[in-house]
Amino acid sequence: MKKKYSYVGITFVILLFGIYAIPKIVNRFDDSVLLKFGKVPNFEFINQEGKTITNASYEDKVYVVEFFFSTCPSICPIMNQKMVVLQNAFFGNPEFGIASISITPDIDTPAVLKEYAKNNDITHKNWHLLTGKSQDVVYELSTKGFKLYVGKGEESHGGFEHSGLFALVDKNGYIRSRKDDLGNPLMYYSALGDKDFPDQMKELKEDIKLLLNE
């Protein structure tokens, strides 16, 4: 009889744990749903091939956005190395894209950007290096459209400052991100990192996969 009651007791504990665990599991999956922020404003630029690229060029695609310039001596090379990793991870997927928008359009002509692409292993057909509008237009898109800082900077940084963050955009043109470990919206993904604060490329790659399957 003792064994019987022991078995019943264990069964009860398992059932009780199962009932308790179900909402925990559900919550965990709820947390994996990416947050949705504002829609990317309409834009129109020229890419490294001299072709006009607009929002419509990225319809039904998941894409990553960065602001950079080809003569940047500091963070841009690091950022684009990380972008090449993303490019290679999703190379065969026509629903994936990248938009690298120059903050120095007067310098970064299509010809300059084409050479930059060649020298930096940029080969994905949906990775567009974008230029062709005035600097004011680019600054407005960055600071007001994406809420990513860009401005004049120290000469050691090439004379300009901009964030080392990537924006993730879904197939419908909305900026998306996960929450951080504390439950706060991440909003953007850091391409930079050090021994204390690693980059967020692993998380970005996981979230690209989520959006591709939405």
Side-chain angles (χ1 to χ4, degrees), residues 95-110:
E95 295 182 350
F96 174 73
I98 298 172
S100 297
I101 304 171
S102 171
I103 64 172
T104 57
D106 293 340
I107 298 171
D108 290 334
T109 64

Side-chain angles (χ1 to χ4, degrees), residues 153-200:
E154 298 177 3
E155 287 303 318
S156 60
H157 292 281
F160 297 91
E161 289 184 2
H162 61 100
S163 78
L165 301 174
F166 293 156
L168 177 59
V169 184
D170 68 17
K171 295 179 181 180
N172 296 311
Y174 287 93
I175 298 171
R176 304 287 293 273
S177 87
R178 63 171 60 194
K179 298 177 183 177
D180 64 18
D181 293 338
L182 299 176
N184 300 312
L186 196 61
M187 191 73 176
Y188 302 107
Y189 300 78
S190 176
L192 310 176
D194 55 37
K195 61 184 181 65
D196 296 318
F197 299 98
D199 68 38
Q200 295 164 321

Side-chain angles (χ1 to χ4, degrees), residues 3-18:
K3 289 184 179 180
K4 182 177 179 181
Y5 283 119
S6 176
Y7 175 78
V8 170
I10 292 171
T11 303
F12 175 75
V13 170
I14 292 172
L15 288 173
L16 181 61
F17 175 79

Side-chain angles (χ1 to χ4, degrees), residues 25 44-46 50 54 64 79 85 124 128 177 182 189 197:
I25 294 171
E44 180 178 314
F45 294 103
I46 305 298
T54 69
V64 181
M79 293 171 69
V85 172
H124 197 296
H128 301 291
S177 87
L182 299 176
Y189 300 78
F197 299 98

Side-chain angles (χ1 to χ4, degrees), residues 2-164:
K2 288 183 179 180
K3 289 184 179 180
K4 182 177 179 181
Y5 283 119
S6 176
Y7 175 78
V8 170
I10 292 171
T11 303
F12 175 75
V13 170
I14 292 172
L15 288 173
L16 181 61
F17 175 79
I19 293 170
Y20 174 77
I22 287 173
K24 297 295 182 181
I25 294 171
V26 170
N27 287 339
R28 187 183 70 191
F29 282 108
D30 285 345
D31 289 343
S32 72
V33 176
L34 300 183
L35 302 173
K36 181 184 288 188
F37 302 96
K39 200 165 189 177
V40 174
N42 292 333
F43 61 79
E44 180 178 314
F45 294 103
I46 305 298
N47 74 357
Q48 68 269 33
E49 301 296 336
K51 297 179 180 178
T52 299
I53 300 297
T54 69
N55 298 65
S57 305
Y58 290 99
E59 280 185 1
D60 299 321
K61 292 179 177 62
V62 175
Y63 66 105
V64 181
V65 178
E66 67 168 346
F67 290 87
F68 87 114
F69 58 111
S70 67
T71 56
C72 173
S74 54
I75 66 173
C76 294
I78 299 171
M79 293 171 69
N80 281 324
Q81 287 171 8
K82 303 293 177 67
M83 279 293 199
V84 168
V85 172
L86 290 180
Q87 166 194 257
N88 295 340
F90 299 97
F91 194 83
N93 196 324
E95 295 182 350
F96 174 73
I98 298 172
S100 297
I101 304 171
S102 171
I103 64 172
T104 57
D106 293 340
I107 298 171
D108 290 334
T109 64
V112 168
L113 294 179
K114 187 169 185 176
E115 186 67 16
Y116 185 90
K118 179 181 177 182
N119 294 334
N120 288 276
D121 300 318
I122 296 172
T123 56
H124 197 296
K125 68 176 184 178
N126 292 332
W127 186 345
H128 301 291
L129 308 179
L130 301 175
T131 188
K133 293 291 185 180
S134 71
Q135 195 173 68
D136 290 342
V137 171
V138 176
Y139 277 30
E140 183 171 0
L141 178 64
S142 179
T143 57
K144 294 183 179 180
F146 284 92
K147 306 297 190 295
L148 292 173
Y149 174 76
V150 61
K152 296 292 184 181
E154 298 177 3
E155 287 303 318
S156 60
H157 292 281
F160 297 91
E161 289 184 2
H162 61 100
S163 78

